[in-house]
Amino acid sequence: MSSDPLVIFTPSGKRGNFPVGTPILTAARQLGVDLDSVCGGRGICSKCQITPSYGEFPKHGVTVAQDALSEWNAVEQRYDDKRGLPKGRRLGCQATVQGDIVIDVPPESQVHKQVVRKRAEVRDITLNPTVKLTYVEVEEPDMHKPSGDLERLLTALRAATGHAHIDVDTHLLRPLQPILRKGNWSVTAAIHQGRDDVTPRVIALWSGFYDKPLFGLAVDLGSTTIAGHLCNLETGEVVASSGLMNPQIRFGEDLMSRVSYAMMNKGGDLEMTDAVRDGLNQLVTDIAGDAEIDKEQILDAVFVMNPVMHHLFLGIDPFELGQAPFALATSDALELTASEIGLDIAAGTRAYLLPCIAGHVGADAAGVALSEAPNKSEDLALIVDVGTNAEILLGDKDGVMACSSPTGPAFEGAQISSGQRAAPGAIERVEIDPVTKEPRFRVIGSELWSDEDGFSEAIATTGVTGICGSGIIEVIAEMRIAGLVDASGLIGSAEQTGTERCFLDGRTNSYRLWDGDEEQKEITVTNADIRAIQMAKAALYSGARLLMDKRGVDQVDRVVLAGAFGAHISAKHAMVLGMIPDCPLDKVTSAGNAAGTGARIALLNRAARSDIEALVRQIEKIETAVEPRFQEHFVNASAMPNSSDPFPILRDLVALPEVSFNTGGGDGAGGGGRRRRRRG
């Protein structure tokens, strides 16, 4: 049995015997205890703060005397005078073992700190970033021992970090000697390591001790908007967020329009590449300005995006994605320098692109999978990222499947007569009285309903400008509940429905949601609007139902709606339309921008990158375009909620009137008009 003192670390529980005089930081490193340090034990950075515990510890079988650690020294006093040490704290690099001791490592001194995300149902993020600062003092040149400054720097870094091999970015060779001499042979290096089996690289250098925070950027590069979150790599805190419209919109609102533009215009793909990179550089400038930091402090970036955006971002012609078999140029995760993709950040900044799952299931879906972890779920989860092209995941710990479904832009307000994107003045919530058939609504920018006192004053600056995606879903579902529209999607006449709000509009009927005023036109829901939503929701449901067929189930345990749009969808109304499978409403939740959250996880925890790469290789990809049952499901899903699937849970909650307005006549009831629309 060793006669050396016993050192016990909490909360890890790791323990070992060490000779008297061993620094606590050294003991921690030898035991693999999670204790941070940047300065290499010189008492400069203070990241190795520890709290010693004294007294009787029956649980550990030790008694700790008051002199179990060395006395408070001059280095600790100097740091306490300058910055202050919390009461009872010591610096692990200065305090040495004198007897049996119990040491607590506080959360802020742990390398892999826990960051609790706001949504309780989602896992915490373990901090383990790819970039870490290390301070070293480099041996000065000696004529009798000739060697290069770089070689002596690497020798010092290997000794300080324990890495057997370290490389250096070539852009650092030119400023290396001035940096070393300015710092009087002491420097701080930012060392990047993406994977455990990859040689670490020095990507930035500063003279002397550098203690400013480093940052990383998590970006969701969408076809319509680009959203970025700037994260402190040491604390995990989101210090700034910014977003802008994707400049590629001028080449086409939907992805296939952009593919067509690239096909029909020589060099069109590179035009779009330049546009999106310009947009990203603007985002970087904006977000750094908001956070009041230098762009040089941003040393890591993670990106998620759909396959077409992935190729255009990388400067790859998306031609092959526009035709079967929808082959990706590359689907693996990519580790690049930011300069390789045209980003104006620091010269050494790294960029990581999550892997794509399949030809139309991209890195954004991989981000959702990383965030929501269906592969770790005990119950069967259906995760739907609702957008112009919906990505759908179905799975649990026994396996995960994925597909995409072309829903089109109707859910975002496009192809809708009074539709618009979500903006102040857009109708976002709707209720219709089932007896009087009178509507009331709320618009973005006001908490008041349209029939409440003060509504007109509340919307005076915006007015009522149109109806956004969540609003069109709610109004059509409410019309179905109120008996204004039948299961096939036909709006009844005034006589059939008992309200003058239904009126003849060409050869079909429309519903007047808002009467308008002197400045703004009325807002109506037309049969063409309903048809557009029917097509979009049928595509969404058919993709989900196809995955359920493959899994051999008729129901799922829970549904997760992801994406910015998914966060605003009412579960009840979505189910009345038949957008999502029958499920208890309390089992339908929103994950917000799960793709962006996945990007943030991959930014803050490099181990998560290996996790998602492994999961993507295991996901079973289903191509809806070649599945015979997809069309069958699509036809059935055109009805509201469905002409085949019974939706028993929904029907226990909501009474759907058994009405039919397809009289076959030409009196505006809709039969003839609807048939002509089908042919046209």
Side-chain angles (χ1 to χ4, degrees), residues 28 87 92 96 209 229 250 327 345 373 390 421 477 559 569 668-669 672 677:
K87 185 175 177 61
T96 62
F209 179 65
H229 301 288
R250 68 178 185 267
I345 314 183
R421 297 196 183 281
V559 176
I569 297 175
R677 286 182 190 277

Side-chain angles (χ1 to χ4, degrees), residues 525-542:
V525 179
T526 70
N527 247 125
D529 295 339
I530 291 179
R531 191 64 177 159
I533 292 296
Q534 281 179 287
M535 295 300 97
K537 73 95 177 178
L540 182 63
Y541 183 85
S542 301

Side-chain angles (χ1 to χ4, degrees), residues 484-508:
L484 299 171
V485 64
D486 65 16
S488 72
L490 284 175
I491 301 174
S493 65
E495 294 76 18
Q496 290 169 321
T497 60
T499 176
E500 294 299 321
R501 286 194 173 274
C502 291
F503 63 96
L504 186 60
D505 187 9
R507 293 186 58 83
T508 56

Side-chain angles (χ1 to χ4, degrees), residues 26 43 155 171 207 255 403 438 502 507 534 561 633 636 675:
T26 301
T155 297
H171 77 271
S207 297
L255 295 173
C403 74
E438 284 297 301
C502 291
R507 293 186 58 83
Q534 281 179 287
L561 299 172
H633 286 311
N636 293 334
R675 285 196 294 271

Side-chain angles (χ1 to χ4, degrees), residues 313-486:
F313 179 48
L314 292 172
I316 301 170
D317 189 337
F319 174 79
E320 294 297 338
L321 292 174
Q323 58 189 354
F326 314 112
L328 289 152
T330 177
S331 59
D332 284 349
L334 296 174
E335 287 191 338
L336 308 163
T337 61
S339 60
E340 288 179 289
I341 47 178
L343 294 188
D344 179 21
I345 314 183
T349 299
R350 287 328 197 243
Y352 176 80
L353 277 66
L354 267 69
C356 291
I357 296 175
H360 284 295
V361 188
D364 47 359
V368 173
L370 180 57
S371 171
E372 298 307 304
N375 57 310
K376 297 179 181 178
S377 176
E378 293 291 334
D379 50 9
L380 187 61
L382 178 74
I383 304 168
V384 184
D385 195 347
V386 187
T388 304
N389 193 62
E391 286 90 17
I392 307 168
L393 300 167
L394 177 69
D396 56 18
K397 57 185 178 58
D398 293 328
V400 180
M401 294 182 292
C403 74
S404 68
S405 202
T407 53
F411 287 148
E412 296 178 354
Q415 300 177 350
I416 304 299
S417 59
S418 297
Q420 67 165 85
R421 297 196 183 281
I427 295 173
E428 63 171 341
R429 298 286 314 279
V430 179
E431 291 180 355
I432 297 177
D433 188 301
V435 177
T436 66
K437 318 299 182 185
E438 284 297 301
R440 69 175 196 152
F441 55 83
R442 276 172 43 181
V443 301
I444 296 174
S446 171
E447 295 298 314
L448 295 176
W449 288 88
S450 57
D451 59 352
E452 290 182 316
D453 291 339
F455 175 77
S456 297
E457 292 77 12
I459 64 163
T461 57
T462 63
V464 181
T465 55
I467 185 164
C468 67
S470 62
I472 195 68
I473 286 171
E474 291 202 9
V475 71
I476 295 175
E478 286 285 314
M479 289 171 68
R480 177 74 182 91
I481 295 169
L484 299 171
V485 64
D486 65 16

Side-chain angles (χ1 to χ4, degrees), residues 55-371:
E56 300 269 352
F57 294 91
K59 175 183 175 182
H60 300 304
V62 295
T63 298
V64 179
Q66 291 294 322
D67 59 356
L69 287 184
S70 57
E71 293 185 0
W72 181 266
N73 68 15
V75 173
E76 290 173 300
Q77 186 62 53
R78 184 185 67 217
Y79 186 86
D80 191 32
D81 291 342
K82 285 186 175 182
R83 300 191 182 183
L85 274 174
K87 185 175 177 61
R89 291 276 180 88
R90 299 288 303 272
L91 296 182
C93 62
Q94 300 301 311
T96 62
V97 176
Q98 301 297 318
D100 293 345
I101 183 70
V102 175
I103 297 291
D104 181 65
V105 180
E108 57 269 32
S109 297
Q110 297 170 19
V111 179
H112 304 147
K113 306 173 186 72
Q114 294 289 309
V115 178
V116 180
R117 289 159 51 188
K118 290 183 178 178
R119 288 178 52 246
E121 71 269 26
V122 182
R123 296 167 290 119
D124 298 343
I125 303 175
T126 299
L127 274 180
N128 183 15
T130 61
V131 184
K132 184 171 173 53
L133 291 176
T134 298
Y135 169 85
V136 291
E137 293 171 358
V138 180
E139 186 180 351
E140 295 186 34
D142 186 334
M143 292 180 62
H144 301 290
K145 296 189 293 181
S147 66
D149 287 349
L150 174 61
E151 286 67 34
R152 281 179 277 105
L153 169 64
L154 291 177
T155 297
L157 287 173
R158 287 194 293 267
T161 63
H163 291 302
H165 302 284
I166 299 177
D167 289 336
V168 175
D169 274 3
T170 54
H171 77 271
L172 293 172
L173 296 180
R174 179 178 173 83
L176 172 64
Q177 292 186 308
I179 289 172
L180 282 169
R181 285 155 181 81
K182 181 181 178 182
N184 195 25
W185 302 99
S186 67
V187 296
T188 303
I191 300 177
H192 176 275
Q193 185 174 26
R195 294 181 177 86
D196 289 334
D197 58 350
V198 174
T199 302
R201 294 187 71 89
V202 179
I203 62 174
L205 279 174
W206 296 270
S207 297
F209 179 65
Y210 181 87
D211 63 351
K212 289 184 179 179
L214 299 182
F215 297 92
L217 199 58
V219 179
D220 181 3
L221 181 50
S223 54
T224 303
T225 57
I226 304 173
H229 301 288
L230 186 69
C231 300
N232 184 314
L233 294 180
E234 182 180 325
T235 66
E237 177 190 4
V238 177
V239 297
S241 296
S242 186
L244 48 79
M245 297 295 286
N246 188 330
Q248 289 182 348
I249 281 181
R250 68 178 185 267
F251 302 102
E253 280 211 344
D254 63 277
L255 295 173
M256 294 319 295
S257 295
R258 293 178 208 176
V259 173
S260 297
Y261 182 86
M263 292 169 64
M264 299 175 67
N265 298 274
K266 186 176 181 180
D269 58 321
L270 296 180
E271 275 188 87
M272 289 185 280
T273 296
D274 290 342
V276 75
R277 290 180 177 181
D278 287 346
L280 276 167
N281 280 318
Q282 184 60 54
L283 177 77
V284 170
T285 299
D286 292 346
I287 208 165
D290 291 345
E292 299 181 342
I293 67 162
D294 192 318
K295 286 194 290 186
E296 299 292 309
Q297 291 174 258
I298 304 173
L299 288 181
D300 200 8
V302 171
F303 296 88
V304 295
M305 63 204 80
N306 62 58
V308 172
M309 288 308 310
H310 176 274
H311 279 38
L312 289 173
F313 179 48
L314 292 172
I316 301 170
D317 189 337
F319 174 79
E320 294 297 338
L321 292 174
Q323 58 189 354
F326 314 112
L328 289 152
T330 177
S331 59
D332 284 349
L334 296 174
E335 287 191 338
L336 308 163
T337 61
S339 60
E340 288 179 289
I341 47 178
L343 294 188
D344 179 21
I345 314 183
T349 299
R350 287 328 197 243
Y352 176 80
L353 277 66
L354 267 69
C356 291
I357 296 175
H360 284 295
V361 188
D364 47 359
V368 173
L370 180 57
S371 171

